Amino acid sequence: MIPYRLSLDYTLHPGWLEPFVEGLRAGQAVARRCADCGRVSFPPVRICDCGSVDGEWVALSGRAIIRARTTGADGDFALVQFVGADTSAVVRLLDMPEGATEGQLAASDHDLPQLCLGPVDGGQSA
C-alpha cells in the first residue's frame, strides 16, 4: 500500500434544510411542522414519524429546557427540548452556568450551522 494524502475543498448545499441552516447561522430556531399530524420537529426531519413528507417551516422562540448535561474533552453539551418542539436535540453549551435548567439558542461561535445554547437573559434561568 502506498500512502497518499488527499485534500478536498468543496461546498455542500443544504438542500431542503436551507431554512433550518440559515436559521442556525442567525441564532434563530426554524422547525418543521408536519402537515398531516402537526408534530413539530427541531431539528427538522424529512419524513415525520407518521410517514408524511409534507410540512411547513415554523419559527420557535429558541428557548430550550435542559434535560441532561455533560462535559467532555470538546466542551459542554446537553440534551434539550426546545419550547414548541415535540423532539429533543443535542446542543453545544456556550457559557452556561453550571446549574442552569434552560437556555436560548445562540448563533454558533465558529460561523458554522451548529446547535448552540447560551444563557437566557444574560445567565438567568427560570
Side-chain angles (χ1 to χ4, degrees):
M1 182 168 312
I2 300 171
Y4 182 78
R5 184 178 180 104
L6 178 63
S7 177
L8 300 175
D9 185 18
Y10 58 93
T11 301
L12 295 176
H13 189 276
W16 75 273
L17 284 170
E18 188 164 3
F20 170 71
V21 171
E22 291 306 313
L24 289 182
R25 285 193 173 117
Q28 299 170 348
V30 180
R32 184 120 166 121
R33 180 183 307 136
C34 178
D36 291 341
C37 73
R39 181 176 171 87
V40 176
S41 57
F42 184 83
V45 294
R46 182 71 174 125
I47 301 173
C48 182
D49 287 348
C50 75
S52 177
V53 296
D54 296 323
E56 64 180 338
W57 296 104
V58 295
L60 302 179
S61 69
R63 186 165 247 164
I65 307 302
I66 298 173
R67 302 291 184 206
R69 182 178 178 153
T70 189
T71 298
D74 294 332
D76 296 332
F77 296 87
L79 176 66
V80 303
Q81 184 170 6
F82 283 86
V83 174
D86 297 306
T87 56
S88 296
V90 174
V91 299
R92 173 180 290 278
L93 298 177
L94 303 175
D95 301 318
M96 290 292 289
E98 190 65 35
T101 58
E102 65 180 52
Q104 181 71 33
L105 185 70
S108 169
D109 55 352
H110 293 72
D111 194 34
L112 296 172
Q114 299 177 17
L115 280 173
C116 297
L117 201 69
V120 174
D121 300 328
Q124 303 297 319
S125 63

